Amino acid sequence: MKKILAVDDQAEVINIIADFLDHNYEVYPAKTTRKAFALLHKTKFDLILLDILMPGMNGIEFLEYIKTQIWYENTPVIFVSSEADFKTVSQAVNLGANGYIKKPIEKEILLEKIKLVIGG
């Protein structure tokens, strides 16, 4: 089963993602980027679902960092965020994000984006 790291500081968002993906993927939750880094050191993920508005290191900074690290540089990232202005979305894509989903999350859109990036 493919492994997905869900990084969001809101537990309810992680729970929604986990519920939506429950039967098709193994979801690992991280409420902070620090927790996400700890999980990245232990497990190889097929995909990272990443919020932008995070305490401490935000999602854009997190993506910038992992794209410089040989272990994670090829790990696909889809942003899941309420931040949807053109500047933010284009910055995410320019940094190497593989997709962008606006909150509130719709199950069909989430599943479709994931399938496009890593398959079913």
Side-chain angles (χ1 to χ4, degrees):
M1 187 174 288
K2 293 188 177 181
K3 296 177 182 176
I4 296 177
L5 175 59
V7 186
D8 197 301
D9 59 324
Q10 297 177 349
E12 60 271 13
V13 172
I14 291 176
N15 291 338
I16 289 168
I17 290 170
D19 287 345
F20 286 172
L21 304 180
D22 186 36
H23 300 296
N24 301 317
Y25 304 96
E26 195 172 334
V27 178
Y28 292 73
K31 287 183 61 180
T32 65
T33 51
R34 182 175 299 202
K35 172 74 173 175
F37 283 126
L39 289 168
L40 282 170
H41 287 300
K42 296 178 186 175
T43 305
K44 171 77 172 119
F45 290 98
D46 298 290
L47 175 68
I48 300 170
L49 297 175
L50 181 60
D51 187 18
I52 290 178
L53 298 175
M54 300 279 294
M57 178 184 278
N58 69 38
I60 297 288
E61 294 164 337
F62 182 86
L63 178 61
E64 284 178 317
Y65 178 77
I66 66 170
K67 290 300 180 183
T68 67
Q69 303 302 304
I70 194 163
W71 306 108
Y72 327 118
E73 66 183 348
N74 295 317
T75 304
V77 174
I78 297 175
F79 277 105
V80 180
S81 183
S82 57
E83 285 292 304
D85 62 89
F86 178 77
K87 181 181 176 188
T88 303
V89 174
S90 62
Q91 182 181 18
V93 171
N94 288 335
L95 288 172
N98 301 82
Y100 200 99
I101 299 170
K102 182 162 174 22
K103 292 177 185 176
I105 304 165
E106 293 182 37
K107 182 177 182 176
E108 296 77 22
I109 293 173
L110 179 64
L111 291 171
E112 183 65 28
K113 293 267 188 183
I114 291 171
K115 284 180 184 176
L116 284 172
V117 174
I118 64 170

